[in-house]
Amino acid sequence: MKLSIVIPAYNEEESITHTLTSLHNTLNKYNIPHEICVTNDNSKDGTLRVLDELSVQIPTLVYYTNPGPNGFGYAVRYGLERFKGDCVAVFMADMSDDPEDLAKYYFKMLEGDYDCVFGSRWEKGGKVVDYPALKKVINRVANFIVRIVMGIKYNDTTNAFKLYKRETIEGIKPFLSPHFNLTIELPLKAMVRGYNYAVVPNSWTNRKYGVSKLKIKEMGSRYFFILMYCLIEKYFSQGDFMKKNAAPKKEVSR
């Protein structure tokens, strides 16, 4: 099963080399067939130049420049329309995600033939390193609200680092979110539409270079919009968007 990794990158000149070389080396270590698919989100620094240089060193690297509109969600969606693998992960350019965790996701998907594999930084075995205190509080409150509203047990919906089969991605289109709210649109749609999933613990490490692109003050209403959309679909769509021939949902596996 070929793995694609979609990485949105905006002004990640300082981080992208370490991220891509670590990712490539880890996947080669486990003999995982893969492509690394970077969307340069119209960066203003030297990100594009670095990607051009790395493409000579990393044979599995492909990259695109998203001319616009720009934003995290648009950049991820640009990659999700172009990846070639049998499954696809969303991975962050700042190396906050661990390539070793991605290998765990991949083998978990193979082991149980899951439609999706989600990470959780907050269950046993997961960890966060240098997580800003205010951001942590907002994260836990937001995930609690999502759990209560949607009636789910999964506790890290806002974590972008997830793995989906190609059929799952096709089954949860069209995408609506232009920004970071895409992080909850993808898993919630998958759940609502009957795709099964496993949860494995993962780690998160704060970036060493650059600045976070997430603007918390701007995102509240956008997250709320997607949450309400998924809630309405869950209870009022009459199953019109359900996975074809969906088997009974598997229990969350840890």
Side-chain angles (χ1 to χ4, degrees):
M1 184 169 67
K2 184 176 180 179
L3 168 65
S4 294
I5 307 98
V6 167
I7 303 176
Y10 176 70
N11 291 350
E12 295 289 358
E13 177 183 10
E14 296 176 297
S15 301
I16 199 73
T17 297
H18 178 50
T19 300
L20 298 188
T21 54
S22 297
L23 190 55
H24 179 64
N25 291 339
T26 299
L27 296 176
N28 278 349
K29 180 176 70 173
Y30 290 105
N31 296 313
I32 298 175
H34 68 276
E35 67 166 355
I36 300 171
C37 183
V38 179
T39 301
N40 167 43
D41 199 31
N42 206 14
S43 297
K44 309 305 180 188
D45 65 354
T47 297
L48 188 59
R49 172 185 53 79
V50 174
L51 287 171
D52 191 50
E53 294 170 355
L54 287 172
S55 66
V56 178
Q57 307 168 31
I58 303 176
T60 57
L61 172 62
V62 293
Y63 63 92
Y64 311 97
T65 292
N66 175 23
N70 299 118
F72 176 86
Y74 285 125
V76 173
R77 287 162 56 180
Y78 201 86
L80 291 179
E81 293 295 339
R82 289 162 176 79
F83 76 95
K84 301 296 194 299
D86 304 299
C87 58
V88 59
V90 177
F91 196 90
M92 302 305 284
D94 60 8
M95 201 56 189
S96 56
D97 301 321
D98 188 341
E100 290 286 339
D101 288 332
L102 180 56
K104 288 195 301 183
Y105 285 20
Y106 176 82
F107 290 117
K108 188 69 175 180
M109 178 170 280
L110 286 179
E111 170 194 319
D113 193 27
Y114 293 103
D115 298 317
C116 324
V117 177
F118 301 155
S120 176
R121 299 163 289 184
W122 311 106
E123 66 172 43
K124 185 177 181 181
K127 68 174 182 178
V128 295
V129 178
D130 195 24
Y131 204 96
L134 176 60
K135 186 176 178 181
K136 182 177 180 180
V137 170
I138 294 172
N139 177 289
R140 301 322 301 138
V141 170
N143 276 283
F144 176 77
I145 292 171
V146 171
R147 288 171 62 192
I148 295 300
V149 170
M150 296 300 298
I152 59 177
K153 294 182 179 180
Y154 178 49
N155 66 357
D156 203 6
T157 310
T158 60
N159 183 3
F161 181 27
K162 294 177 170 67
L163 176 65
Y164 305 87
K165 283 186 177 178
R166 172 176 287 278
E167 293 82 2
T168 307
I169 290 296
E170 293 302 319
I172 60 178
K173 289 180 179 178
F175 304 130
L176 303 175
S177 302
H179 299 290
F180 279 89
N181 47 342
L182 187 69
T183 62
I184 70 169
E185 179 182 353
L186 301 183
L188 290 181
K189 275 187 176 177
M191 294 177 192
V192 167
R193 298 184 182 185
Y195 293 89
N196 60 45
Y197 64 96
V199 178
V200 296
N202 76 289
S203 63
W204 183 93
T205 303
N206 201 8
R207 64 166 58 240
K208 294 181 180 179
Y209 308 104
V211 296
S212 172
K213 312 307 185 295
L214 174 62
K215 301 295 187 285
I216 295 174
K217 289 182 179 179
E218 299 175 5
M219 289 309 301
S221 61
R222 291 173 174 144
Y223 277 104
F224 181 76
F225 166 72
I226 290 299
L227 180 59
M228 291 300 100
Y229 176 91
C230 293
L231 182 67
I232 290 169
E233 181 176 311
K234 179 177 181 179
Y235 290 106
F236 296 101
S237 70
Q238 302 295 318
D240 290 337
F241 306 105
M242 290 291 287
K243 175 185 176 182
K244 300 295 186 293
N245 301 317
K249 291 184 181 180
K250 293 183 181 180
E251 293 294 324
V252 174
S253 174
R254 290 179 167 84

